[in-house]
Amino acid sequence: MVPLKIAIAAFLVVGLVVNTVAEDPYRFFEWNVTYGTIYPLGVPQQGILINGQFPGPDIYSVTNDNLIINVFNSLDEPFLLSWNGIQNRRNSFEDGVYGTTCPIPPGKNFTYILQMKDQIGSYYYFPSLAFHKAAGGFGGIKILSRPRIPVPFPDPADDYTVLIGDWYKKNHTALKAILDGGKKLPFPDGILINGRGPNGVSFTVEQGKTYRLRISNVGLQNSLNFRIEGHKMKLVEVEGTHTLQTTYSSLDVHVGQTYSVLITADQEAKDHYIVVSSRFTSPVLTTTGVLHYSNSNTPVSGPPPGGPTIQIDWSLNQARSIRTNLSASGPRPNPQGSYHYGMINTTRTIRLASSAGQVNGKQRYAVNSVSFVPLDTPLKLLDYFKVGGFRVGSISDAPSGGGIFLDTSVLGADYRQFIEIVFENNEDIVQSWHLNGYSFWVVGMDGGQWTQASRNGYNLRDAVARCTTQVYPKSWTAIYIALDNVGMWNLRTEFWARQYLGQQLYMRVYTTSTSLRDEYPIPRNARLCGKVAGRHTRPL
């Protein structure tokens, strides 16, 4: 019965697609989200499956493709999917976080209408509600370049998605109960590669050929180091940006980040360890996979290769070495000379400081002292229907220095502004920040306190553009953003317990213009809930 409903919904939604360009191809996906018993660390637990798979199926697409993804929720609780790094141009209604999109009720479906507008590269999707991310429901997204657009490396022999992340043996419901009770999460139990524990996953390669690995940290809180025994990795792309092709023996991948590397099978024809270990933790968690040469009869043996022993400095220097390949094309022919981020004056500086503390005896996390509290209706819908209920400007542009308090934090910003955001981390952990709807330039990062003099060290030539950046302990990271995407966009920590307990906000990018660059009208099939339930979107 469920597949029939999905098929009917997918057929009907074709008539709802009015916001996409007719000549761009369509790709249709039908997904059924269910619970299932999984054994990633050797014990049974409740996982979230998509079409029976853990992790979920990859999304393959090409620049400007239109994706029609009909999601049927067969769980016993509301569910949402979000698209980490997909910009949803002028269409934050489809962003799939609670501030923009009504949850899919149990037994119901929702059809996401997405366009991979002017994007290439490697990303992933994940469940954004409650603590579902700790149960699965995530998968890789690959956006290939159009055939006419040159890519700065030969086609690889194969293209593998590699999803790494820390993991708990407890069910996601038990972890959520810990947070709801005002406590911190315990230390994770292990690390997974593509949903499997130690030596549970293998990638087959042929001698002499080159392969692409798209590595995403889909975990809950820990930075991870990725390495392959005896093999070098050539970095070629980071979250939609072709990079200088620097070679690394291991790579730090912080929570929420995605890196694309090339490896060549140029070593002895035997099986080699793939190793993923936690960074900046005590104890260090480690898991392994296998790089299997097709002509190998020799299994992995001995201890896996160790990771970097120098802590923050090693990782910081590696991060600074990741730069944009200015000679490479992006989604379109390279427009260098007509626009460059380093030649534009910023019009506003926003400093965002993270903090942790107790509110009413319960653990909370905050940005500029504000710990985010969701409302009963997505903010985007309250805004669209002019219902109110939140205040734009409820979070300041700079740290207040005061104690943590609860509010629904929304930062107002003007369309077409070019702004600077400085993430300030006064805590002892590495943090990771993500902005939906945008790619930004990571122009600087360093230890200590940020000051205006810190701008003297910014990279204003070839900083990497991406959607997720790390901030090291007692350090800062600065980014530049061109606010060219109207909508309501989530800015959050990728540490999921911190996000769940308040370390996030929404950026409302607004224009009074009536030009075509305004946001698209609300989709006709949009779910309406809370204070806007029962209203009509627009005439069919």
Side-chain angles (χ1 to χ4, degrees):
M1 187 66 179
V2 168
L4 177 60
K5 290 181 179 178
I6 293 175
I8 292 172
F11 174 78
L12 292 177
V13 80
V14 176
L16 301 176
V17 183
V18 296
N19 297 330
T20 49
V21 180
E23 61 268 23
D24 293 321
Y26 287 83
R27 298 178 188 264
F28 294 87
F29 302 83
E30 299 176 4
W31 286 358
N32 188 25
V33 181
T34 61
Y35 291 125
T37 302
I38 58 175
Y39 301 81
L41 292 178
V43 298
Q45 61 187 121
Q46 185 185 67
I48 292 178
L49 316 181
I50 298 180
N51 290 353
Q53 299 179 42
F54 169 73
D58 275 359
I59 292 177
Y60 294 87
S61 63
V62 176
T63 300
N64 289 355
D65 277 357
N66 300 296
L67 306 188
I68 311 300
I69 307 174
N70 186 41
V71 178
F72 195 94
N73 178 16
S74 294
L75 308 183
D76 59 2
E77 56 185 329
F79 184 78
L80 268 180
L81 283 173
S82 190
W83 321 94
N84 214 71
I86 304 305
Q87 294 176 14
N88 293 308
R89 304 291 300 179
R90 299 163 54 196
N91 194 12
S92 61
F93 293 107
E94 304 279 359
D95 207 31
V97 289
Y98 185 67
T100 63
T101 311
C102 288
I104 309 170
K108 301 295 183 181
N109 75 293
F110 177 70
T111 303
Y112 291 90
I113 304 171
L114 312 174
Q115 188 182 26
M116 308 293 99
K117 180 67 175 173
D118 291 339
Q119 287 193 262
I120 60 166
S122 311
Y123 310 94
Y124 67 91
Y125 61 86
F126 69 97
S128 62
L129 281 186
F131 218 61
H132 290 157
K133 193 181 182 189
F138 43 72
I141 301 175
K142 303 177 183 180
I143 309 178
L144 304 180
S145 296
R146 289 177 290 177
R148 296 188 301 272
I149 306 301
V151 175
F153 50 87
D155 288 339
D158 211 338
D159 187 330
Y160 292 119
T161 293
V162 185
L163 304 177
I164 60 177
D166 50 17
W167 193 260
Y168 290 86
K169 293 180 180 179
K170 290 182 182 291
N171 286 346
H172 73 283
T173 51
L175 297 174
K176 179 176 177 293
I178 292 172
L179 297 175
D180 290 341
K183 306 297 184 182
K184 296 181 179 179
L185 289 185
F187 193 69
D189 295 303
I191 296 171
L192 305 185
I193 304 175
N194 284 358
R196 304 293 185 268
N199 289 343
V201 66
S202 177
F203 300 96
T204 298
V205 296
E206 294 186 28
Q207 190 92 38
K209 293 187 177 181
T210 298
Y211 297 81
R212 183 173 184 172
L213 306 182
R214 301 175 190 252
I215 308 161
S216 296
N217 185 340
V218 298
L220 299 177
Q221 65 184 48
N222 283 299
S223 300
L224 301 175
N225 183 265
F226 183 92
R227 52 198 182 272
I228 302 176
E229 179 186 17
H231 292 72
K232 299 292 186 181
M233 298 179 290
K234 182 183 291 184
L235 185 66
V236 294
E237 177 255 328
V238 172
E239 296 163 16
T241 298
H242 290 305
T243 63
L244 292 180
Q245 295 183 11
T246 306
T247 299
Y248 301 98
S249 58
S250 72
L251 195 62
D252 277 356
V253 186
H254 303 277
V255 187
Q257 292 185 337
T258 300
Y259 291 88
S260 192
V261 302
L262 299 179
I263 62 164
T264 299
D266 56 3
Q267 299 299 304
E268 182 183 352
K270 65 172 189 175
D271 290 358
H272 299 259
Y273 280 114
I274 298 171
V275 188
V276 181
S277 58
S278 61
R279 290 283 273 137
F280 324 116
T281 65
S282 181
V284 174
L285 295 173
T286 300
T287 197
T288 54
V290 176
L291 187 72
H292 171 69
Y293 278 58
S294 60
N295 56 341
S296 165
N297 293 312
T298 307
V300 293
S301 61
T309 56
I310 301 173
Q311 292 296 298
I312 299 301
D313 286 348
W314 185 96
S315 188
L316 175 60
N317 288 333
Q318 182 178 83
R320 287 171 169 166
S321 72
I322 299 171
R323 296 170 178 251
T324 296
N325 183 347
L326 295 179
S327 65
S329 294
R332 315 176 279 288
N334 195 23
Q336 293 297 332
S338 59
Y339 173 85
H340 191 274
Y341 75 94
M343 301 177 67
I344 304 172
N345 293 325
T346 57
T347 57
R348 182 180 178 186
T349 296
I350 300 170
R351 294 167 49 215
L352 299 176
S354 62
S355 59
Q358 299 275 315
V359 177
N360 299 324
K362 293 189 175 184
Q363 182 66 43
R364 296 295 298 186
Y365 301 96
V367 185
N368 287 1
S369 299
V370 187
S371 186
F372 184 87
V373 179
L375 302 178
D376 64 356
T377 308
L379 301 176
K380 181 62 193 174
L381 297 181
L382 292 174
D383 198 34
Y384 177 82
F385 288 106
K386 297 181 171 54
V387 174
F390 67 92
R391 182 174 64 88
V392 177
S394 49
I395 181 171
S396 63
D397 278 16
S400 65
I404 295 175
F405 63 94
L406 307 179
D407 202 351
T408 303
S409 38
V410 178
L411 189 69
D414 294 333
Y415 179 60
R416 290 300 190 190
Q417 273 190 322
F418 191 77
I419 68 171
E420 171 187 44
I421 294 181
V422 181
F423 297 103
E424 299 181 356
N425 180 11
N426 296 314
E427 301 181 70
D428 293 324
I429 61 171
V430 178
Q431 301 206 28
S432 190
W433 290 92
H434 175 88
L435 175 60
N436 282 11
Y438 286 93
S439 181
F440 49 71
W441 292 276
V442 183
V443 294
M445 55 177 65
D446 206 350
Q449 189 68 39
W450 180 89
T451 67
Q452 293 189 16
S454 302
R455 295 186 180 121
N456 296 331
Y458 282 5
N459 177 2
L460 298 182
R461 181 177 183 271
D462 59 357
V464 69
R466 62 187 315 167
C467 57
T468 309
T469 188
Q470 71 272 34
V471 191
Y472 291 100
K474 307 293 185 183
S475 300
W476 56 267
T477 295
I479 65 174
Y480 281 177
I481 312 173
L483 296 180
D484 59 356
N485 196 11
V486 175
M488 183 80 71
W489 304 107
N490 188 227
L491 175 59
R492 63 175 179 269
T493 177
E494 288 283 15
F495 284 32
W496 218 243
R498 285 177 167 252
Q499 179 270 351
Y500 182 77
L501 294 180
Q503 203 161 80
Q504 61 172 309
L505 58 99
Y506 281 82
M507 181 179 292
R508 180 182 183 266
V509 181
Y510 181 72
T511 175
T512 57
S513 169
T514 57
S515 73
L516 292 177
R517 294 191 179 275
D518 279 351
E519 190 165 26
Y520 288 127
I522 187 171
R524 292 175 178 171
N525 70 322
R527 285 198 168 274
L528 301 181
C529 56
K531 289 185 173 61
V532 301
R535 299 196 180 209
H536 298 287
T537 54
R538 52 199 174 99
L540 293 174

